Amino acid sequence: MVDLGCGAGPTLLALSRLAPAATLIGVDRSAEFLGQARQNLEAHPGPVMTLAADLRAPLPCGDASADTILSYNTVECVPHPEQLLVEVARVLRPGGRAIMAHVDFDSLVIAGADADLDRRVCHAFADDAQSWMDHVDGRIGRKLGLLLARSPLRLVGVEPLLTWSTALSGHAEDRIGQIRKALLSAARRGRGSVGAAEVEDWYSAVREADQLGGFFFSELAFIAIAERPGEDRSAGGPAQPRRDTSRAEHHKRWAPSWSAAA
């Protein structure tokens, strides 16, 4: 299983609990994040590898070398996601699957501020290109299915995932804190469409709504699944069994830039 834009490895860690024998491979351009991912996955029973790579370039992976490729909240940062999907198709084995998931940040619903300020803050966050991002598309979640349908892969389906809360805690508190931090940073650099004072007014209104018991938060993510067409599955028959691959063989399939966890 390959995670593109793995960061510190939260998705791989979840996969480790579901599939303890799986080979987990994290791809990210940040050496710091890759180091954290290796530490977080030290207890994984199966093989773990990390690959330093820029997703704007060809993936440092062998042809037909992966059964599953995942990516969560990463595709919007790639200026040409269609090129990335060509690479995903190359790296997947016939019958292998790509699972691309992304929050649609233009779907945010947050109770508290008046309509005009709330709209401007939420849209500003959806359109905000933070310092570590090469590109931004806050509406990428709703586009995943179409991107995959236009790729060399075969689109299997798209599922929505709604996250919501009536309390300013947990994920809702984290997301609202991210919005505030990102827009204050943009305002300080003189590139934001919402001023710092407006951001703080919005944040105060959201907190007041929570104190009064009228707070609400929701965001919609989309999970799109696609498959590489191939001949490894007989028409109408069961999937053919896959050969087990040793750690050494996995190393041969991936470019020399991999670094294995200790």
Side-chain angles (χ1 to χ4, degrees), residues 35 100 143 148 177 206-207 220:
M100 317 299 284
K143 299 177 182 179
L148 287 167
V206 169
R207 293 188 62 188
L220 189 61

Side-chain angles (χ1 to χ4, degrees), residues 29-44:
R29 68 180 181 182
S30 167
E32 180 181 357
F33 276 147
L34 291 176
Q36 293 175 20
R38 288 193 294 271
Q39 290 179 5
N40 291 335
L41 292 165
E42 282 180 349
H44 178 64

Side-chain angles (χ1 to χ4, degrees), residues 200-226:
E200 295 293 32
D201 286 345
W202 173 83
Y203 182 64
S204 295
V206 169
R207 293 188 62 188
E208 181 182 7
D210 182 56
Q211 292 164 3
L212 293 172
F215 172 80
F216 182 81
F217 166 89
S218 73
E219 68 180 23
L220 189 61
F222 293 92
I223 304 167
I225 302 172

